Amino acid sequence: MSEAGKDGQNRWADLLADGRLPRFALIMLGVWLNAADSLVTATIMPSVGAQLGGYGYFSWATAGYLVGAILAGASSGRVSEIFGLRGATAIAGLIMAGGCVMSALAPDVGVFLAGRLIQGLGSGWISGFAMVAIALLFPERHLARVFAAVTFVWGIATVLGPLFGGAVLEAGSWREVFWLFAGQAALFAAAAPFLLAGASRAGGGPGVPWTQLGVLGLGVGAIAVADVLTSAGLSIGLVSLGLVILGVVVWLDGRLAVRLLPHRAGDLSTVCGSGYFAMFALTAATMGFAIYAPPILQQLRHFTPLWAGYAIGSESAAWTLAAMLVANVTGRWDGRWIRIGVILLLASLVVLAWTMADGPFAWVLAGGALMGAAFGFSWSFLSRRLMLALSDEDRAIGSSAITAVRQTGAAAGSAISGVAANLVGFSGGLTDATARASSFWVFAAVIPLAVAGAWAAFRMTGSAQRA
């Protein structure tokens, strides 16, 4: 920290100098829209399910959004090359606004989920452009602070997204939530050309990796279908098949001319390979808390939607505080904070599985706080280490892949948690019995994923090769 204070090049003032302020503002706005809209369903889905039906589709509201975000984010380099960052970002904002309008007007759960998919497309492009901008428009000396700011805004959005949904729901209808997000996305679309004034076009590479995107869609789709099946054997089989297909995407990518991921992204002996896998697995392991904690708390502890949102806000508050505490860390401690973070994540899953239904509520808050602190301490350092390991050739594609990998993990994790919940009766309706059974299994089912992610994170900060 003392070295950073002596070096004026690393100050926040320097980060925002030389025309970087509007680009930095765009990235922060994009992070807010992506994070808040992806999480707003946490507190409103019980009301959506009651009005439109489809309790079995709880996790699809998140998984469908993320499928759109994955496919859009992976193609963001090419889209920004064709339209330029200014035009492409404005179009992405309008697409997101259109998806919000669909969900707001939805007469049934099918239209609602289609709206969520379109929201994901718009949000995925916004996120992809933001990551490309970080890689191409910010000097290496600023990466730590840019990623710390991204983590901070994500944490704030993780607090305010569910709270926003709960507050609006208590004051009116869940549909108003999407009307308000439509307005925010429309304002973002109008502001984007001004925020990116003077920005050059991003390099989109030789084309769009359609083969990998198609196979990726099949893998995520298989996991999502498993979410709504009542047969334990079929559900587990489809989840396993989906994960295998995701592995095939990585295998194919290293053998095709137009790549989705950087060189050796599937090699766990490298920083890139272990880093991407850690991001995927750790993100997947946390999705059950945001999706299932609010309805469980509403059912078993009789919380209102707003108070359920406050309860899961413990994760976000700890995430934000932890990110602030380590924002200026440099040197060896960045790797140590990554390891501390993944250990906290494992602890959080054990605490939540043990206490969510019947344990002291203070322990539920503690479990959520441990989960948030895990990412606050580790995420910016994971991202920075991975980006610094990329070659110049892979800088744009590798930076946008961070978003795609994280969102793929979120989609897979939400569906896996959904399978666990539905296999114990959640899809048949929200009762004390199904909420109590789900409160254990949505966390216990992803502990193996968290262990695998922790192993990859330790490898990334230890013996992994840079290239």
Side-chain angles (χ1 to χ4, degrees), residues 337-373:
W337 281 118
I338 291 173
R339 295 186 174 198
I340 291 170
V342 298
I343 291 171
L344 292 179
L345 178 58
L346 288 167
S348 73
L349 294 173
V350 174
V351 170
L352 290 169
W354 170 50
T355 62
M356 178 61 68
D358 302 309
F361 182 62
W363 279 100
V364 176
L365 295 178
L370 286 172
M371 183 175 288

PDB file of all heavy atoms in Angstrom, residues 337-373:
ATOM      1  N   TRP A 337      -4.945 -13.658  -0.521  1.00  0.00           N
ATOM      2  CA  TRP A 337      -6.359 -13.305  -0.387  1.00  0.00           C
ATOM      3  C   TRP A 337      -7.235 -14.195  -1.255  1.00  0.00           C
ATOM      4  O   TRP A 337      -8.389 -14.485  -0.902  1.00  0.00           O
ATOM      5  CB  TRP A 337      -6.583 -11.834  -0.714  1.00  0.00           C
ATOM      6  CG  TRP A 337      -6.219 -10.915   0.419  1.00  0.00           C
ATOM      7  CD1 TRP A 337      -5.269  -9.945   0.428  1.00  0.00           C
ATOM      8  CD2 TRP A 337      -6.813 -10.902   1.725  1.00  0.00           C
ATOM      9  NE1 TRP A 337      -5.221  -9.326   1.652  1.00  0.00           N
ATOM     10  CE2 TRP A 337      -6.164  -9.893   2.471  1.00  0.00           C
ATOM     11  CE3 TRP A 337      -7.822 -11.646   2.334  1.00  0.00           C
ATOM     12  CZ2 TRP A 337      -6.501  -9.607   3.785  1.00  0.00           C
ATOM     13  CZ3 TRP A 337      -8.160 -11.368   3.651  1.00  0.00           C
ATOM     14  CH2 TRP A 337      -7.510 -10.361   4.365  1.00  0.00           C
ATOM     15  N   ILE A 338      -6.737 -14.626  -2.387  1.00  0.00           N
ATOM     16  CA  ILE A 338      -7.492 -15.586  -3.197  1.00  0.00           C
ATOM     17  C   ILE A 338      -7.722 -16.861  -2.401  1.00  0.00           C
ATOM     18  O   ILE A 338      -8.835 -17.400  -2.345  1.00  0.00           O
ATOM     19  CB  ILE A 338      -6.756 -15.895  -4.515  1.00  0.00           C
ATOM     20  CG1 ILE A 338      -6.765 -14.664  -5.443  1.00  0.00           C
ATOM     21  CG2 ILE A 338      -7.393 -17.094  -5.230  1.00  0.00           C
ATOM     22  CD1 ILE A 338      -5.920 -14.832  -6.695  1.00  0.00           C
ATOM     23  N   ARG A 339      -6.685 -17.369  -1.749  1.00  0.00           N
ATOM     24  CA  ARG A 339      -6.802 -18.609  -0.979  1.00  0.00           C
ATOM     25  C   ARG A 339      -7.704 -18.431   0.242  1.00  0.00           C
ATOM     26  O   ARG A 339      -8.518 -19.308   0.560  1.00  0.00           O
ATOM     27  CB  ARG A 339      -5.409 -19.084  -0.559  1.00  0.00           C
ATOM     28  CG  ARG A 339      -4.538 -19.469  -1.747  1.00  0.00           C
ATOM     29  CD  ARG A 339      -3.223 -20.074  -1.313  1.00  0.00           C
ATOM     30  NE  ARG A 339      -2.469 -20.568  -2.468  1.00  0.00           N
ATOM     31  CZ  ARG A 339      -1.461 -21.428  -2.399  1.00  0.00           C
ATOM     32  NH1 ARG A 339      -1.092 -21.913  -1.218  1.00  0.00           N
ATOM     33  NH2 ARG A 339      -0.846 -21.818  -3.483  1.00  0.00           N
ATOM     34  N   ILE A 340      -7.570 -17.305   0.914  1.00  0.00           N
ATOM     35  CA  ILE A 340      -8.455 -17.037   2.054  1.00  0.00           C
ATOM     36  C   ILE A 340      -9.906 -16.999   1.583  1.00  0.00           C
ATOM     37  O   ILE A 340     -10.811 -17.538   2.243  1.00  0.00           O
ATOM     38  CB  ILE A 340      -8.068 -15.703   2.724  1.00  0.00           C
ATOM     39  CG1 ILE A 340      -6.714 -15.839   3.430  1.00  0.00           C
ATOM     40  CG2 ILE A 340      -9.151 -15.257   3.713  1.00  0.00           C
ATOM     41  CD1 ILE A 340      -6.132 -14.528   3.917  1.00  0.00           C
ATOM     42  N   GLY A 341     -10.144 -16.377   0.431  1.00  0.00           N
ATOM     43  CA  GLY A 341     -11.494 -16.273  -0.091  1.00  0.00           C
ATOM     44  C   GLY A 341     -12.140 -17.619  -0.350  1.00  0.00           C
ATOM     45  O   GLY A 341     -13.296 -17.852   0.029  1.00  0.00           O
ATOM     46  N   VAL A 342     -11.424 -18.538  -0.984  1.00  0.00           N
ATOM     47  CA  VAL A 342     -12.040 -19.828  -1.316  1.00  0.00           C
ATOM     48  C   VAL A 342     -12.287 -20.670  -0.061  1.00  0.00           C
ATOM     49  O   VAL A 342     -13.255 -21.443   0.002  1.00  0.00           O
ATOM     50  CB  VAL A 342     -11.202 -20.606  -2.353  1.00  0.00           C
ATOM     51  CG1 VAL A 342     -11.117 -19.823  -3.656  1.00  0.00           C
ATOM     52  CG2 VAL A 342      -9.806 -20.940  -1.840  1.00  0.00           C
ATOM     53  N   ILE A 343     -11.454 -20.507   0.960  1.00  0.00           N
ATOM     54  CA  ILE A 343     -11.691 -21.213   2.224  1.00  0.00           C
ATOM     55  C   ILE A 343     -12.970 -20.685   2.882  1.00  0.00           C
ATOM     56  O   ILE A 343     -13.796 -21.447   3.405  1.00  0.00           O
ATOM     57  CB  ILE A 343     -10.481 -21.064   3.164  1.00  0.00           C
ATOM     58  CG1 ILE A 343      -9.282 -21.838   2.597  1.00  0.00           C
ATOM     59  CG2 ILE A 343     -10.817 -21.563   4.568  1.00  0.00           C
ATOM     60  CD1 ILE A 343      -7.976 -21.585   3.318  1.00  0.00           C
ATOM     61  N   LEU A 344     -13.161 -19.367   2.845  1.00  0.00           N
ATOM     62  CA  LEU A 344     -14.379 -18.780   3.395  1.00  0.00           C
ATOM     63  C   LEU A 344     -15.612 -19.261   2.646  1.00  0.00           C
ATOM     64  O   LEU A 344     -16.679 -19.466   3.249  1.00  0.00           O
ATOM     65  CB  LEU A 344     -14.298 -17.252   3.340  1.00  0.00           C
ATOM     66  CG  LEU A 344     -13.265 -16.575   4.251  1.00  0.00           C
ATOM     67  CD1 LEU A 344     -13.301 -15.065   4.047  1.00  0.00           C
ATOM     68  CD2 LEU A 344     -13.510 -16.928   5.710  1.00  0.00           C
ATOM     69  N   LEU A 345     -15.491 -19.442   1.338  1.00  0.00           N
ATOM     70  CA  LEU A 345     -16.628 -19.908   0.549  1.00  0.00           C
ATOM     71  C   LEU A 345     -17.055 -21.314   0.974  1.00  0.00           C
ATOM     72  O   LEU A 345     -18.252 -21.596   1.141  1.00  0.00           O
ATOM     73  CB  LEU A 345     -16.277 -19.890  -0.935  1.00  0.00           C
ATOM     74  CG  LEU A 345     -17.363 -20.388  -1.887  1.00  0.00           C
ATOM     75  CD1 LEU A 345     -18.631 -19.570  -1.727  1.00  0.00           C
ATOM     76  CD2 LEU A 345     -16.882 -20.352  -3.321  1.00  0.00           C
ATOM     77  N   LEU A 346     -16.088 -22.197   1.154  1.00  0.00           N
ATOM     78  CA  LEU A 346     -16.408 -23.551   1.615  1.00  0.00           C
ATOM     79  C   LEU A 346     -17.097 -23.508   2.980  1.00  0.00           C
ATOM     80  O   LEU A 346     -18.084 -24.204   3.217  1.00  0.00           O
ATOM     81  CB  LEU A 346     -15.131 -24.386   1.697  1.00  0.00           C
ATOM     82  CG  LEU A 346     -14.512 -24.814   0.360  1.00  0.00           C
ATOM     83  CD1 LEU A 346     -13.105 -25.345   0.573  1.00  0.00           C
ATOM     84  CD2 LEU A 346     -15.372 -25.867  -0.310  1.00  0.00           C
ATOM     85  N   ALA A 347     -16.605 -22.665   3.854  1.00  0.00           N
ATOM     86  CA  ALA A 347     -17.207 -22.553   5.182  1.00  0.00           C
ATOM     87  C   ALA A 347     -18.639 -22.042   5.091  1.00  0.00           C
ATOM     88  O   ALA A 347     -19.524 -22.498   5.830  1.00  0.00           O
ATOM     89  CB  ALA A 347     -16.366 -21.626   6.058  1.00  0.00           C
ATOM     90  N   SER A 348     -18.893 -21.110   4.186  1.00  0.00           N
ATOM     91  CA  SER A 348     -20.235 -20.527   4.074  1.00  0.00           C
ATOM     92  C   SER A 348     -21.269 -21.572   3.672  1.00  0.00           C
ATOM     93  O   SER A 348     -22.402 -21.569   4.174  1.00  0.00           O
ATOM     94  CB  SER A 348     -20.228 -19.379   3.064  1.00  0.00           C
ATOM     95  OG  SER A 348     -20.132 -19.855   1.726  1.00  0.00           O
ATOM     96  N   LEU A 349     -20.916 -22.470   2.763  1.00  0.00           N
ATOM     97  CA  LEU A 349     -21.860 -23.488   2.320  1.00  0.00           C
ATOM     98  C   LEU A 349     -22.223 -24.441   3.451  1.00  0.00           C
ATOM     99  O   LEU A 349     -23.388 -24.846   3.597  1.00  0.00           O
ATOM    100  CB  LEU A 349     -21.275 -24.268   1.136  1.00  0.00           C
ATOM    101  CG  LEU A 349     -21.077 -23.473  -0.148  1.00  0.00           C
ATOM    102  CD1 LEU A 349     -20.328 -24.301  -1.179  1.00  0.00           C
ATOM    103  CD2 LEU A 349     -22.412 -23.012  -0.717  1.00  0.00           C
ATOM    104  N   VAL A 350     -21.233 -24.801   4.271  1.00  0.00           N
ATOM    105  CA  VAL A 350     -21.496 -25.682   5.412  1.00  0.00           C
ATOM    106  C   VAL A 350     -22.420 -24.981   6.409  1.00  0.00           C
ATOM    107  O   VAL A 350     -23.398 -25.563   6.901  1.00  0.00           O
ATOM    108  CB  VAL A 350     -20.178 -26.091   6.084  1.00  0.00           C
ATOM    109  CG1 VAL A 350     -20.450 -26.878   7.369  1.00  0.00           C
ATOM    110  CG2 VAL A 350     -19.328 -26.923   5.123  1.00  0.00           C
ATOM    111  N   VAL A 351     -22.146 -23.719   6.710  1.00  0.00           N
ATOM    112  CA  VAL A 351     -22.960 -22.965   7.670  1.00  0.00           C
ATOM    113  C   VAL A 351     -24.392 -22.817   7.175  1.00  0.00           C
ATOM    114  O   VAL A 351     -25.358 -23.018   7.925  1.00  0.00           O
ATOM    115  CB  VAL A 351     -22.327 -21.586   7.939  1.00  0.00           C
ATOM    116  CG1 VAL A 351     -23.287 -20.697   8.737  1.00  0.00           C
ATOM    117  CG2 VAL A 351     -21.006 -21.742   8.690  1.00  0.00           C
ATOM    118  N   LEU A 352     -24.572 -22.490   5.896  1.00  0.00           N
ATOM    119  CA  LEU A 352     -25.913 -22.269   5.368  1.00  0.00           C
ATOM    120  C   LEU A 352     -26.709 -23.570   5.297  1.00  0.00           C
ATOM    121  O   LEU A 352     -27.912 -23.587   5.597  1.00  0.00           O
ATOM    122  CB  LEU A 352     -25.825 -21.621   3.984  1.00  0.00           C
ATOM    123  CG  LEU A 352     -25.346 -20.164   3.990  1.00  0.00           C
ATOM    124  CD1 LEU A 352     -25.030 -19.690   2.574  1.00  0.00           C
ATOM    125  CD2 LEU A 352     -26.387 -19.252   4.627  1.00  0.00           C
ATOM    126  N   ALA A 353     -26.076 -24.660   4.897  1.00  0.00           N
ATOM    127  CA  ALA A 353     -26.784 -25.941   4.863  1.00  0.00           C
ATOM    128  C   ALA A 353     -27.251 -26.349   6.257  1.00  0.00           C
ATOM    129  O   ALA A 353     -28.323 -26.938   6.422  1.00  0.00           O
ATOM    130  CB  ALA A 353     -25.871 -27.028   4.283  1.00  0.00           C
ATOM    131  N   TRP A 354     -26.489 -25.999   7.257  1.00  0.00           N
ATOM    132  CA  TRP A 354     -26.783 -26.392   8.631  1.00  0.00           C
ATOM    133  C   TRP A 354     -27.855 -25.511   9.273  1.00  0.00           C
ATOM    134  O   TRP A 354     -28.676 -25.972  10.066  1.00  0.00           O
ATOM    135  CB  TRP A 354     -25.487 -26.328   9.441  1.00  0.00           C
ATOM    136  CG  TRP A 354     -25.649 -26.481  10.924  1.00  0.00           C
ATOM    137  CD1 TRP A 354     -26.333 -27.446  11.602  1.00  0.00           C
ATOM    138  CD2 TRP A 354     -25.095 -25.619  11.934  1.00  0.00           C
ATOM    139  NE1 TRP A 354     -26.252 -27.242  12.957  1.00  0.00           N
ATOM    140  CE2 TRP A 354     -25.487 -26.130  13.193  1.00  0.00           C
ATOM    141  CE3 TRP A 354     -24.289 -24.478  11.885  1.00  0.00           C
ATOM    142  CZ2 TRP A 354     -25.114 -25.523  14.391  1.00  0.00           C
ATOM    143  CZ3 TRP A 354     -23.911 -23.889  13.080  1.00  0.00           C
ATOM    144  CH2 TRP A 354     -24.325 -24.407  14.315  1.00  0.00           C
ATOM    145  N   THR A 355     -27.905 -24.211   8.912  1.00  0.00           N
ATOM    146  CA  THR A 355     -28.722 -23.261   9.675  1.00  0.00           C
ATOM    147  C   THR A 355     -29.901 -22.653   8.927  1.00  0.00           C
ATOM    148  O   THR A 355     -30.758 -22.029   9.564  1.00  0.00           O
ATOM    149  CB  THR A 355     -27.841 -22.098  10.171  1.00  0.00           C
ATOM    150  OG1 THR A 355     -27.298 -21.392   9.045  1.00  0.00           O
ATOM    151  CG2 THR A 355     -26.710 -22.608  11.045  1.00  0.00           C
ATOM    152  N   MET A 356     -29.986 -22.773   7.607  1.00  0.00           N
ATOM    153  CA  MET A 356     -30.978 -22.020   6.849  1.00  0.00           C
ATOM    154  C   MET A 356     -32.413 -22.273   7.318  1.00  0.00           C
ATOM    155  O   MET A 356     -33.217 -21.344   7.457  1.00  0.00           O
ATOM    156  CB  MET A 356     -30.845 -22.358   5.354  1.00  0.00           C
ATOM    157  CG  MET A 356     -31.869 -21.652   4.453  1.00  0.00           C
ATOM    158  SD  MET A 356     -31.780 -19.851   4.495  1.00  0.00           S
ATOM    159  CE  MET A 356     -30.197 -19.576   3.714  1.00  0.00           C
ATOM    160  N   ALA A 357     -32.763 -23.504   7.591  1.00  0.00           N
ATOM    161  CA  ALA A 357     -34.149 -23.826   7.936  1.00  0.00           C
ATOM    162  C   ALA A 357     -34.476 -23.536   9.396  1.00  0.00           C
ATOM    163  O   ALA A 357     -35.443 -22.829   9.691  1.00  0.00           O
ATOM    164  CB  ALA A 357     -34.442 -25.291   7.619  1.00  0.00           C
ATOM    165  N   ASP A 358     -33.679 -24.063  10.297  1.00  0.00           N
ATOM    166  CA  ASP A 358     -34.052 -24.039  11.711  1.00  0.00           C
ATOM    167  C   ASP A 358     -32.994 -23.469  12.636  1.00  0.00           C
ATOM    168  O   ASP A 358     -33.227 -23.345  13.837  1.00  0.00           O
ATOM    169  CB  ASP A 358     -34.384 -25.468  12.186  1.00  0.00           C
ATOM    170  CG  ASP A 358     -35.507 -26.089  11.382  1.00  0.00           C
ATOM    171  OD1 ASP A 358     -36.554 -25.443  11.250  1.00  0.00           O
ATOM    172  OD2 ASP A 358     -35.315 -27.216  10.867  1.00  0.00           O
ATOM    173  N   GLY A 359     -31.830 -23.142  12.117  1.00  0.00           N
ATOM    174  CA  GLY A 359     -30.769 -22.650  12.982  1.00  0.00           C
ATOM    175  C   GLY A 359     -30.992 -21.211  13.390  1.00  0.00           C
ATOM    176  O   GLY A 359     -31.886 -20.525  12.875  1.00  0.00           O
ATOM    177  N   PRO A 360     -30.205 -20.702  14.321  1.00  0.00           N
ATOM    178  CA  PRO A 360     -30.297 -19.298  14.714  1.00  0.00           C
ATOM    179  C   PRO A 360     -30.111 -18.390  13.489  1.00  0.00           C
ATOM    180  O   PRO A 360     -29.199 -18.610  12.679  1.00  0.00           O
ATOM    181  CB  PRO A 360     -29.148 -19.129  15.714  1.00  0.00           C
ATOM    182  CG  PRO A 360     -28.886 -20.509  16.222  1.00  0.00           C
ATOM    183  CD  PRO A 360     -29.167 -21.431  15.079  1.00  0.00           C
ATOM    184  N   PHE A 361     -30.960 -17.395  13.395  1.00  0.00           N
ATOM    185  CA  PHE A 361     -30.908 -16.545  12.208  1.00  0.00           C
ATOM    186  C   PHE A 361     -29.572 -15.817  12.085  1.00  0.00           C
ATOM    187  O   PHE A 361     -29.113 -15.529  10.975  1.00  0.00           O
ATOM    188  CB  PHE A 361     -32.059 -15.535  12.233  1.00  0.00           C
ATOM    189  CG  PHE A 361     -32.100 -14.665  11.021  1.00  0.00           C
ATOM    190  CD1 PHE A 361     -32.292 -15.205   9.755  1.00  0.00           C
ATOM    191  CD2 PHE A 361     -31.917 -13.292  11.142  1.00  0.00           C
ATOM    192  CE1 PHE A 361     -32.305 -14.392   8.623  1.00  0.00           C
ATOM    193  CE2 PHE A 361     -31.943 -12.478  10.014  1.00  0.00           C
ATOM    194  CZ  PHE A 361     -32.143 -13.025   8.758  1.00  0.00           C
ATOM    195  N   ALA A 362     -28.925 -15.543  13.204  1.00  0.00           N
ATOM    196  CA  ALA A 362     -27.611 -14.887  13.152  1.00  0.00           C
ATOM    197  C   ALA A 362     -26.615 -15.728  12.367  1.00  0.00           C
ATOM    198  O   ALA A 362     -25.742 -15.190  11.665  1.00  0.00           O
ATOM    199  CB  ALA A 362     -27.092 -14.646  14.575  1.00  0.00           C
ATOM    200  N   TRP A 363     -26.756 -17.057  12.445  1.00  0.00           N
ATOM    201  CA  TRP A 363     -25.851 -17.923  11.698  1.00  0.00           C
ATOM    202  C   TRP A 363     -26.169 -17.894  10.202  1.00  0.00           C
ATOM    203  O   TRP A 363     -25.270 -18.046   9.362  1.00  0.00           O
ATOM    204  CB  TRP A 363     -25.914 -19.345  12.235  1.00  0.00           C
ATOM    205  CG  TRP A 363     -25.091 -19.536  13.467  1.00  0.00           C
ATOM    206  CD1 TRP A 363     -25.521 -19.556  14.759  1.00  0.00           C
ATOM    207  CD2 TRP A 363     -23.674 -19.698  13.509  1.00  0.00           C
ATOM    208  NE1 TRP A 363     -24.458 -19.733  15.611  1.00  0.00           N
ATOM    209  CE2 TRP A 363     -23.302 -19.825  14.870  1.00  0.00           C
ATOM    210  CE3 TRP A 363     -22.672 -19.748  12.540  1.00  0.00           C
ATOM    211  CZ2 TRP A 363     -21.988 -20.001  15.282  1.00  0.00           C
ATOM    212  CZ3 TRP A 363     -21.357 -19.932  12.941  1.00  0.00           C
ATOM    213  CH2 TRP A 363     -21.030 -20.055  14.299  1.00  0.00           C
ATOM    214  N   VAL A 364     -27.422 -17.707   9.836  1.00  0.00           N
ATOM    215  CA  VAL A 364     -27.771 -17.542   8.422  1.00  0.00           C
ATOM    216  C   VAL A 364     -27.098 -16.283   7.876  1.00  0.00           C
ATOM    217  O   VAL A 364     -26.509 -16.292   6.786  1.00  0.00           O
ATOM    218  CB  VAL A 364     -29.293 -17.464   8.241  1.00  0.00           C
ATOM    219  CG1 VAL A 364     -29.645 -17.194   6.772  1.00  0.00           C
ATOM    220  CG2 VAL A 364     -29.968 -18.749   8.723  1.00  0.00           C
ATOM    221  N   LEU A 365     -27.186 -15.197   8.644  1.00  0.00           N
ATOM    222  CA  LEU A 365     -26.520 -13.959   8.230  1.00  0.00           C
ATOM    223  C   LEU A 365     -25.009 -14.152   8.140  1.00  0.00           C
ATOM    224  O   LEU A 365     -24.363 -13.649   7.215  1.00  0.00           O
ATOM    225  CB  LEU A 365     -26.847 -12.837   9.209  1.00  0.00           C
ATOM    226  CG  LEU A 365     -28.305 -12.382   9.286  1.00  0.00           C
ATOM    227  CD1 LEU A 365     -28.463 -11.292  10.333  1.00  0.00           C
ATOM    228  CD2 LEU A 365     -28.779 -11.882   7.919  1.00  0.00           C
ATOM    229  N   ALA A 366     -24.460 -14.900   9.097  1.00  0.00           N
ATOM    230  CA  ALA A 366     -23.015 -15.156   9.075  1.00  0.00           C
ATOM    231  C   ALA A 366     -22.618 -15.972   7.852  1.00  0.00           C
ATOM    232  O   ALA A 366     -21.581 -15.706   7.215  1.00  0.00           O
ATOM    233  CB  ALA A 366     -22.595 -15.884  10.353  1.00  0.00           C
ATOM    234  N   GLY A 367     -23.439 -16.973   7.507  1.00  0.00           N
ATOM    235  CA  GLY A 367     -23.142 -17.761   6.319  1.00  0.00           C
ATOM    236  C   GLY A 367     -23.159 -16.925   5.064  1.00  0.00           C
ATOM    237  O   GLY A 367     -22.277 -17.043   4.195  1.00  0.00           O
ATOM    238  N   GLY A 368     -24.167 -16.061   4.929  1.00  0.00           N
ATOM    239  CA  GLY A 368     -24.213 -15.172   3.778  1.00  0.00           C
ATOM    240  C   GLY A 368     -23.036 -14.223   3.743  1.00  0.00           C
ATOM    241  O   GLY A 368     -22.469 -13.942   2.680  1.00  0.00           O
ATOM    242  N   ALA A 369     -22.640 -13.705   4.920  1.00  0.00           N
ATOM    243  CA  ALA A 369     -21.503 -12.786   4.986  1.00  0.00           C
ATOM    244  C   ALA A 369     -20.198 -13.487   4.600  1.00  0.00           C
ATOM    245  O   ALA A 369     -19.353 -12.906   3.909  1.00  0.00           O
ATOM    246  CB  ALA A 369     -21.398 -12.198   6.396  1.00  0.00           C
ATOM    247  N   LEU A 370     -20.026 -14.731   5.035  1.00  0.00           N
ATOM    248  CA  LEU A 370     -18.823 -15.481   4.646  1.00  0.00           C
ATOM    249  C   LEU A 370     -18.758 -15.665   3.134  1.00  0.00           C
ATOM    250  O   LEU A 370     -17.694 -15.543   2.515  1.00  0.00           O
ATOM    251  CB  LEU A 370     -18.811 -16.839   5.335  1.00  0.00           C
ATOM    252  CG  LEU A 370     -18.478 -16.863   6.828  1.00  0.00           C
ATOM    253  CD1 LEU A 370     -18.710 -18.255   7.400  1.00  0.00           C
ATOM    254  CD2 LEU A 370     -17.030 -16.421   7.056  1.00  0.00           C
ATOM    255  N   MET A 371     -19.923 -15.945   2.527  1.00  0.00           N
ATOM    256  CA  MET A 371     -19.958 -16.128   1.076  1.00  0.00           C
ATOM    257  C   MET A 371     -19.595 -14.836   0.353  1.00  0.00           C
ATOM    258  O   MET A 371     -18.826 -14.833  -0.618  1.00  0.00           O
ATOM    259  CB  MET A 371     -21.359 -16.594   0.652  1.00  0.00           C
ATOM    260  CG  MET A 371     -21.494 -16.896  -0.823  1.00  0.00           C
ATOM    261  SD  MET A 371     -23.120 -17.581  -1.248  1.00  0.00           S
ATOM    262  CE  MET A 371     -22.985 -19.231  -0.547  1.00  0.00           C
ATOM    263  N   GLY A 372     -20.144 -13.708   0.824  1.00  0.00           N
ATOM    264  CA  GLY A 372     -19.823 -12.435   0.192  1.00  0.00           C
ATOM    265  C   GLY A 372     -18.371 -12.056   0.372  1.00  0.00           C
ATOM    266  O   GLY A 372     -17.705 -11.609  -0.569  1.00  0.00           O
ATOM    267  N   ALA A 373     -17.846 -12.226   1.596  1.00  0.00           N
ATOM    268  CA  ALA A 373     -16.448 -11.891   1.850  1.00  0.00           C
ATOM    269  C   ALA A 373     -15.514 -12.733   0.996  1.00  0.00           C
ATOM    270  O   ALA A 373     -14.453 -12.264   0.553  1.00  0.00           O
ATOM    271  CB  ALA A 373     -16.134 -12.081   3.330  1.00  0.00           C
TER     272      ALA A 373
END
